[in-house]
Amino acid sequence: MDFTIKTMADYAAEGKSPEVLFWVGCAGSFDDRAKKITRAFCKILNKINVEFAVLGQEESCTGDPAKRAGNEFVFQMMALTNIEVLNAYEVKKIVTACPHCFNTLKNEYPSLGGNYQVLHHTQFLKDLMNEGRLKIEGGSFKGKKITFHDPCYLGRANDEYEAPRMLLEKLDAELVEMKRCKTNGLCCGAGGAQMFKEPEKGNKDINIERTEEALSFEPKVIATGCPFCNTMMTDGVKHFNKNTEVEVKDIVELLAEAEDL
Amino acid sequence: MQYIDNVIFLILLIAGFGLFAKSLKELYRNIKLGREIDRTDRKAERWAIMTRVALGQSKMVKRPIAGILHIFVYVGFVIINIELLEIIIDGIFGTHRFLQSVLGDSFYAFFTGFLEILAALVVLAVVVFFIRRNFYGVKRLTMKELFGWPKQDANWILIIEFALMVAFFTMNGADFYADSTRFSSNFPISKHLFPFFGNFSIETLHIFEKSAWWFHFVGILFFMNYLYYSKHLHIILAFPNTWFANLEKKGKFNNLDSVTKEIKLMMDPNADPYAAPAEGEAEIPSKFGAEDIFDLNQHQLMSAYSCTECGRCTSVCPANITGKKLSPRLIMMKTRDRLEEVGKNLNKNGGKFVDDGKKLLNDYITKEELWACTTCNACVEACPVLIDPLSIIFEMRRFLVMEQSAAPQELNLMMTNVENNAAPWQYNQADRLNWAND
């Protein structure tokens, strides 16, 4: 990165607090592909002078995969630890690029004592755009065909379908909707801790089914809003040997590219 | 002897409703076998949801053909049953078409004419449904999981509804040909259906009319009592099931309070791990998750009875679409099968459950089904009566993991990583910010 990423501890040392905490998440921290999403998002925030911090080493898994696998103990151990950290820094507003972190922080932390305003990165950027702080021009995506794959944990789980689409529209691209979109969206196959195991026996993998649908529109880009969806769709595109023609990109990567960051 | 009809009628009426009340009592008892759950908050919202979803069928029309045909049957069913009122009065007091004297000739003509049109729409819908289910091959209606009783049940319902409507038309048609001066404009449909009735004597027509009337009446009583044994129970339970539905965001899974207590104790450096529980707080060792129907909550059990086996959930389930064993519909059907088995056990043993060595888990629902779920909520979204199969899958996973440590090996690895490294992969927590320096 060509600028410094500050942590909550850095801000605390200065006696200040940032506008928002960026919850990076495990995929965003460790997965090579997802790290690019993390950096793209940071570049956008930095460009428009949003003061943000990350927790860095003080961040732990939100507990989502453990919870959905059925392990409430491990989930709550993570949750209560994270809540202690977040409350110690008096965090008010959290933004994250991972719908799983988003859902867990937003819906499952409050009853454990963690009350924050939690936003998915597309929601946060939408707000910034409405406030006039973020401006996006079509740039390199003008007229290109893009289809958006709804992440289940942003869409059906939390009823957010508009924010990612609003950002994509700003790219002046040709947005095509798959038949299974919004409330009827098809899962990428990674949710509910499936990301961490081989799928059960069947005649097809879910990400193949989903990618097939996306590719039938012959898009230039399959846009995602979740690091897990991103992995699953990328694998799907490779499966069909289309990885030279079709890109799988998170919305913030598209925005950063459009702005040539 | 002149009152024999009325007496037989009354006996049938009382027996029919009596049996029905008995079934409802049993149904209530079975649902109460589940864990209590408080879903009585936000009443205004609940009434609104029930009105929109159950009364207004808002989710049905997402599939327009099935949705609109279903509305025909539903509206027809509800309104034609107003006629039941007339049947009961006529049956008890030996009158004939009592409502005609109350409503006046012209309004009665309009009323019965309207009923006939509804009845015709019901017939249309029922015939199309029968074809879709048996010949046309709508995938979700012809899947293997419906073979046997579920398929027969569905067909019986359609046949009974068809027969009831035919009886209704026969009754009117015979009446019309016997006394067309009285009903000249009342029966827009039946008067065209039975022109051959014109050759019959008045007495024969009266016999036709009376027979159809009795058939219709007995048919309704039979149908009412058939409900409890059928997927058709949804016509009653769709309403409470939507009223008591989960109002939270679909992604919000409940947190177990018992676990919170444990972990707070673990994290508190001043806690005395050997301390006896405080007075009145005697720990009842609770089971984590669900192994049998007793561990599910009452709404989940009611949902099992509310399920119409329409399969909209299964047809959108990503696991099922890709050939995996999971079918959300089957989760609901199996839950109901087990619940009914437990109900029979209670009946046989004087209201006490005698262990039968079976459980919902393994004996009905397999691990393979449970582990195929991506928790994507597509099934929950699809259900026209707001059933949440995912909540049952989730509770059973909890049982597998927390009571039996029976997760797939890869998930055990993931959970160990989360526990030890605070990430699902085996990375060092100290490396969490490395991306910033790349």
Side-chain angles (χ1 to χ4, degrees):
Chain A
M1 305 287 299
D2 45 14
F3 54 93
T4 320
I5 302 291
K6 287 168 78 173
T7 61
M8 287 304 287
D10 294 337
Y11 272 95
E14 293 171 23
K16 290 199 289 191
S17 56
E19 178 183 340
V20 67
L21 166 68
F22 172 30
W23 186 276
V24 183
C26 301
S29 303
F30 295 120
D31 181 89
D32 284 339
R33 176 66 189 87
K35 281 194 225 171
K36 291 182 186 166
I37 303 170
T38 306
R39 285 194 284 262
F41 184 51
C42 289
K43 281 178 190 169
I44 296 173
L45 296 183
N46 182 57
K47 162 111 190 271
I48 55 174
N49 299 319
V50 175
E51 287 209 315
F52 72 96
V54 298
L55 280 173
Q57 298 180 7
E58 289 183 279
E59 188 186 283
S60 300
C61 172
T62 56
D64 162 83
K67 172 136 195 153
R68 263 140 270 270
N71 198 330
E72 183 77 3
F73 262 106
V74 171
F75 161 71
Q76 288 205 17
M77 250 157 55
M78 290 299 117
L80 291 166
T81 314
N82 282 323
I83 288 168
E84 264 194 8
V85 174
L86 291 166
N87 289 352
Y89 285 120
E90 295 177 9
V91 169
K92 304 242 159 18
K93 194 170 179 178
I94 302 176
V95 61
T96 175
C98 174
H100 296 269
C101 297
F102 162 72
N103 176 68
T104 307
L105 291 167
K106 182 175 187 284
N107 294 320
E108 287 162 6
Y109 276 31
S111 76
L112 299 172
N115 292 287
Y116 323 101
Q117 188 196 351
V118 187
L119 296 166
H120 185 242
H121 63 338
T122 56
Q123 295 175 321
F124 185 62
L125 292 179
K126 187 191 103 179
D127 290 350
L128 292 179
M129 198 148 60
N130 289 340
E131 289 162 20
R133 291 166 71 185
L134 173 67
K135 291 183 185 66
I136 302 162
E137 304 281 317
S140 52
F141 294 100
K142 214 169 188 139
K144 281 191 183 162
K145 207 188 259 184
I146 298 181
T147 190
F148 176 61
H149 162 78
D150 284 283
C152 303
Y153 273 87
L154 181 65
R156 261 194 309 272
N158 286 290
D159 305 314
E160 180 60 83
Y161 304 104
E162 186 226 1
R165 286 180 172 76
M166 184 186 163
L167 295 174
L168 286 172
E169 274 160 23
K170 295 287 170 189
L171 295 172
D172 278 339
E174 185 197 341
L175 193 60
V176 285
E177 293 286 3
M178 287 185 259
K179 189 163 170 250
R180 289 178 283 196
C181 68
K182 298 181 187 171
T183 51
N184 301 320
L186 182 73
C187 179
C188 70
Q194 297 289 337
M195 181 76 187
F196 305 98
K197 66 187 261 296
E198 283 299 312
E200 302 304 307
K201 268 202 228 69
N203 44 37
K204 201 189 226 182
D205 283 348
I206 294 170
N207 65 326
I208 303 301
E209 166 87 12
R210 184 51 163 171
T211 313
E212 202 169 16
E213 182 175 10
L215 290 177
S216 71
F217 293 94
E218 297 180 344
K220 276 273 152 233
V221 179
I222 298 171
T224 60
C226 169
F228 296 126
C229 296
N230 195 301
T231 303
M232 297 308 262
M233 301 303 278
T234 306
D235 288 350
V237 170
K238 277 186 199 146
H239 173 90
F240 290 106
N241 290 320
K242 293 274 185 191
N243 38 326
T244 48
E245 299 152 52
V246 184
E247 291 182 299
V248 179
K249 290 243 156 112
D250 192 276
I251 291 173
V252 287
E253 294 181 285
L254 299 174
L255 296 179
E257 255 179 65
E259 294 291 297
D260 211 13
L261 293 172
Chain B
M1 285 303 279
Q2 98 191 80
Y3 294 114
I4 188 108
D5 275 7
N6 312 45
V7 173
I8 293 173
F9 181 89
L10 255 178
I11 292 171
L12 283 174
L13 189 71
I14 291 166
F17 274 90
L19 273 174
F20 185 55
K22 188 171 161 275
S23 294
L24 286 185
K25 219 176 118 194
E26 209 171 289
L27 180 74
Y28 183 76
R29 178 202 68 188
N30 291 356
I31 289 172
K32 284 281 178 183
L33 293 173
R35 288 184 183 173
E36 267 182 51
I37 177 169
D38 185 19
R39 291 260 178 88
T40 51
D41 57 335
R42 297 152 81 175
K43 290 202 171 63
E45 217 174 312
R46 294 188 179 280
W47 284 112
I49 286 177
M50 190 183 83
T51 308
R52 198 172 65 238
V53 176
L55 195 68
Q57 310 254 306
S58 61
K59 297 206 120 186
M60 279 304 291
V61 289
K62 285 232 166 166
R63 304 212 182 191
I65 297 176
I68 289 165
L69 290 174
H70 183 267
I71 287 176
F72 288 164
V73 180
Y74 159 71
V75 173
F77 173 83
V78 172
I79 296 180
I80 291 170
N81 267 332
I82 298 174
E83 195 218 0
L84 188 61
L85 185 73
E86 189 179 47
I87 290 186
I88 290 174
I89 294 169
D90 284 349
I92 295 174
F93 299 105
T95 49
H96 183 61
R97 295 191 181 269
F98 168 77
L99 285 181
Q100 191 173 24
S101 59
V102 180
L103 300 175
D105 284 351
S106 59
F107 188 69
Y108 188 74
F110 169 77
F111 173 67
T112 47
F114 181 59
L115 290 192
E116 285 219 333
I117 289 163
L118 287 178
L121 291 176
V122 172
V123 169
L124 170 77
V126 163
V127 169
V128 176
F129 280 153
F130 193 83
I131 294 169
R132 271 163 63 92
R133 199 169 271 277
N134 293 286
F135 306 109
Y136 176 65
V138 175
K139 193 181 166 224
R140 68 189 160 95
L141 303 177
T142 49
M143 290 170 73
K144 224 163 73 191
E145 62 195 48
L146 292 183
F147 286 7
W149 170 245
K151 188 184 159 100
Q152 290 165 26
D153 179 26
N155 280 334
W156 276 121
I157 293 161
L158 296 174
I159 291 165
I160 294 169
E161 281 170 353
F162 184 81
L164 285 176
M165 292 305 114
V166 169
F168 177 63
F169 283 132
T170 310
M171 184 176 94
N172 284 352
D175 234 7
F176 172 77
Y177 283 96
D179 194 0
S180 64
T181 52
R182 194 168 163 216
F183 301 115
S184 58
S185 62
N186 289 20
F187 304 132
I189 294 181
S190 62
K191 73 178 173 192
H192 301 296
L193 287 180
F194 308 97
F196 56 89
F197 276 176
N199 306 325
F200 293 157
S201 69
I202 300 284
E203 288 74 29
T204 317
L205 288 174
H206 278 318
I207 292 170
F208 264 113
E209 195 269 337
K210 240 2 202 184
S211 312
W213 185 90
W214 277 102
F215 181 87
H216 194 73
F217 169 65
V218 175
I220 289 172
L221 291 184
F222 172 78
F223 197 46
M224 188 167 78
N225 280 290
Y226 176 72
L227 293 184
Y228 181 51
Y229 306 95
S230 158
K231 73 192 190 99
H232 225 49
L233 201 46
H234 81 281
I235 63 173
I236 303 170
L237 288 184
F239 291 87
N241 199 66
T242 49
W243 200 89
F244 288 109
N246 177 25
L247 299 181
E248 304 290 344
K249 290 275 186 227
K250 290 195 189 71
K252 179 178 177 178
F253 292 18
N254 67 328
N255 294 329
L256 293 178
D257 294 338
S258 51
V259 174
T260 316
K261 235 186 268 169
E262 288 276 321
I263 293 178
K264 284 199 167 151
L265 205 67
M266 255 167 56
M267 288 170 67
D268 179 2
N270 302 318
D272 172 9
Y274 304 107
E279 201 65 34
E281 215 188 310
E283 285 288 310
I284 308 157
S286 65
K287 198 192 272 181
F288 297 118
E291 178 188 27
D292 208 347
I293 51 119
F294 305 101
D295 312 319
L296 294 171
N297 71 46
Q298 292 168 0
H299 184 257
Q300 288 166 324
L301 297 187
M302 176 159 62
S303 288
Y305 278 121
S306 311
C307 175
T308 326
E309 301 164 14
C310 72
R312 291 178 184 219
C313 51
T314 293
S315 72
V316 295
C317 171
N320 194 276
I321 289 170
T322 55
K324 288 153 189 83
K325 287 242 172 74
L326 175 63
S327 161
R329 164 170 61 187
L330 214 43
I331 297 286
M332 300 316 298
M333 288 167 69
K334 287 170 173 175
T335 303
R336 177 171 175 172
D337 288 348
R338 172 64 182 154
L339 184 53
E340 283 179 0
E341 185 179 58
V342 170
K344 280 183 199 144
N345 186 318
L346 289 171
N347 289 345
K348 210 173 76 190
N349 299 305
K352 255 190 79 183
F353 179 69
V354 176
D355 189 17
D356 57 359
K358 287 200 221 166
K359 294 280 190 300
L360 180 61
L361 181 68
N362 295 331
D363 293 310
Y364 285 84
I365 298 172
T366 61
K367 287 184 213 168
E368 186 177 346
E369 293 165 72
L370 298 172
W371 289 119
C373 175
T374 69
T375 72
C376 77
N377 265 304
C379 55
V380 186
E381 175 67 38
C383 181
V385 296
L386 309 183
I387 293 171
D388 185 348
L390 170 54
S391 67
I392 295 180
I393 296 170
F394 177 58
E395 287 298 341
M396 296 188 81
R397 276 191 183 183
R398 260 185 182 159
F399 181 84
L400 283 173
V401 170
M402 296 177 73
E403 295 280 345
Q404 299 195 318
S405 305
Q409 196 45 41
E410 299 147 297
L411 288 187
N412 281 333
L413 194 67
M414 176 273 288
M415 292 184 290
T416 312
N417 286 335
V418 172
E419 199 172 349
N420 296 337
N421 304 340
W425 298 284
Q426 206 174 19
Y427 288 107
N428 193 332
Q429 193 165 11
D431 294 337
R432 272 208 177 245
L433 203 50
N434 286 3
W435 59 268
N437 308 316
D438 289 355

